[in-house]
C-alpha cells in the first residue's frame, strides 16, 4: 500500500512556509485554466462535483482543489499558490498560478520514476448467506431466480481471468472466488493488507447488481467515493506535527478521489463500447456509503444492471452478455493502468 513519507512532507512543507507567500487573488486578473492549459500543451482533468483537478505536462503532475492555496507537486511535495476559483461556471486562476506551474513543468524530472499499478483487487459483491438482490423471472419459458451474488461472482471470475492473462507481472486478487460470505470490513481488510513495492499502487473494484421497485429501471453505472467522506489515509501516530496531519491527509484523499473518478470514467467508456445498445449507461456517480469507503486506495463500484427489469435480468442470466460486461470493465481498467503508468502515477510514494 502506498503511503506518503510524512517526514519528507514536513521538511518540504516547512520550506514552502518559509518562502514568500504568493500574491492573493484579490485584485489579480483571472485566467481561464482550461483555455490556458490547452494553449500551453497541458493536459487537464477536472471534476466539477468534487472541485478537484489534475494538470499533467512533461511527465509532471500538479493536483489542486478550488479554494485551496496548497497544491501537490508530483505527489511528493506541497507548494503555496493563489487558490483556483470557479467564477460564473468557469475554473479560473491567476497568472501567477500559471507562471508558477510552468516553471515547475520545466524542471528536470530525473528521467521519470517507475510508478506502476502493482495490484488489482476484484471484489464480487455479496455471497454465501447474503444473496444480495433477488428476483424471479420467466426466461425462455422457465422460472429462473436471479441472484446478485451469482452474477457478481461470474463477472468477477471472468474479469480476474482477463486481468491474470493481461498482467502476469501484477498481483491480481479476488476477495472471494466461491459462494462464501464476507463482511464489508473483511473485504477492505483484504485490500488494505496487500504488500507492495515502492512506487506501486493498488486499485479496488467492487462488482454489484442493481434492483428497484420501478420495474422499468435499467442500465449500468459506476460509482466512486465522494470526497465528503474522509478516509484516514496517513498513519496519524507517525506524523510528529499534528497540525500538518489534516492538510496531508486531505491532499492524499483528493489524490485517491481523482484516480477513482478516472477509473470510473474509463470503465464506463469500456462498458459502453462492449454493451452497445443492449443496455443503457446511467453514467458515473458519487456516493459515500458503499463498500469501498474504508479502502485506502483508488476504488470504484460497478452496478452491472437491474435484475428487477425483465429484459435486463435475461441479459444478466446470459453468460455471453456477462462476458461483454467483464471485457468492458477490463478494457476500462487497462486504459487506466496505461494512463497511470505513462503519467508516473497519481499517488505518493512511501
Amino acid at each position: 500500500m502506498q503511503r506518503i513519507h510524512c517526514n519528507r512532507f514536513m521538511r518540504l512543507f516547512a520550506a514552502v512556509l518559509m518562502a514568500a507567500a504568493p500574491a492573493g487573488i484579490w485584485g489579480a486578473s483571472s485566467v481561464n485554466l482550461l483555455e490556458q492549459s490547452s494553449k500551453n500543451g497541458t493536459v487537464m482533468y477536472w471534476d466539477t462535483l468534487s472541485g478537484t483537478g489534475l494538470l499533467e505536462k512533461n511527465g509532471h503532475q500538479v493536483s489542486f482543489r478550488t479554494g485551496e492555496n496548497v497544491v501537490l507537486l508530483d505527489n511528493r511535495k506541497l507548494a503555496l499558490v493563489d487558490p483556483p476559483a470557479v467564477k460564473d461556471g468557469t475554473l479560473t486562476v491567476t497568472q501567477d498560478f500559471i507562471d508558477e506551474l510552468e516553471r515547475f513543468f520545466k524542471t528536470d524530472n530525473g528521467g521519470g520514476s517507475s510508478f506502476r499499478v502493482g495490484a488489482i483487487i476484484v471484489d464480487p459483491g455479496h455471497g454465501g448467506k447474503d444473496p444480495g438482490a433477488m428476483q424471479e423471472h420467466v426466461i425462455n419459458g422457465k422460472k429462473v431466480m436471479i441472484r446478485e451474488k451469482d452474477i457478481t461472482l461470474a463477472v468477477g471470475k471472468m474479469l480476474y481471468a482477463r486481468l491474470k492473462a493481461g498482467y502476469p507481472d501484477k498481483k491480481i486478487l479476488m476477495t472471494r472466488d466461491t459462494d462464501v460470505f464476507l463482511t464489508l470490513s473483511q473485504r477492505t481488510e483484504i485490500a488494505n493488507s496487500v504488500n507492495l513495492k515502492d512506487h506501486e499502487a493498488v486499485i479496488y473494484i467492487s462488482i454489484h447488481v442493481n434492483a428497484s421497485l420501478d420495474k422499468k429501471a435499467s442500465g449500468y453505472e459506476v460509482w466512486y467515493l465522494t470526497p465528503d467522506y474522509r478516509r484516514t489515509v496517513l498513519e496519524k501516530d507517525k506524523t510528529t506535527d499534528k497540525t500538518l496531519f489534516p492538510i496531508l491527509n486531505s491532499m492524499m484523499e483528493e489524490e485517491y478521489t481523482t484516480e477513482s473518478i478516472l477509473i470510473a470514467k474509463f470503465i464506463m467508456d469500456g462498458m459502453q463500447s462492449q454493451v452497445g445498445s443492449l443496455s443503457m449507461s446511467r453514467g458515473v456517480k458519487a456516493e459515500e456509503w458503499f463498500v469501498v469507503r474504508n479502502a485506502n486506495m483508488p476504488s470504484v463500484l460497478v452496478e452491472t444492471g437491474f435484475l428487477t427489469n425483465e429484459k435486463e435480468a435475461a441479459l444478466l442470466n446470459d453468460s455471453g452478455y456477462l462476458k461483454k460486461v467483464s471485457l468492458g470493465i477490463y478494457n476500462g481498467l487497462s486504459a487506466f493502468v496505461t494512463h497511470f503508468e505513462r503519467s508516473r502515477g497519481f499517488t505518493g510514494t512511501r
Side-chain angles (χ1 to χ4, degrees), residues 283-310:
V284 173
K285 302 184 179 183
E287 195 44 276
E288 313 181 359
W289 47 263
F290 59 74
V291 61
V292 295
R293 64 185 180 274
N294 290 318
N296 298 328
M297 63 195 67
S299 315
V300 297
L301 182 147
V302 180
E303 292 279 9
T304 55
F306 282 78
L307 56 73
T308 45
N309 180 289
E310 185 175 3

Side-chain angles (χ1 to χ4, degrees), residues 103-125:
R103 284 192 287 271
F104 170 67
F105 287 141
K106 291 177 181 178
T107 60
D108 183 8
N109 63 20
S113 57
S114 56
F115 283 101
R116 67 189 296 271
V117 172
I120 300 174
I121 299 172
V122 179
D123 173 39

Side-chain angles (χ1 to χ4, degrees), residues 59 74 76 109-116 199 341 343-345 349:
D74 280 347
R76 288 193 292 274
N109 63 20
S113 57
S114 56
F115 283 101
R116 67 189 296 271
H199 305 295
E341 295 179 347
S343 64
R344 298 171 59 230
T349 58

Side-chain angles (χ1 to χ4, degrees), residues 181-193:
F181 172 76
L182 294 174
T183 65
L184 299 185
S185 61
Q186 286 176 316
R187 294 174 192 272
T188 48
E189 283 171 10
I190 291 172
N192 290 331
S193 65

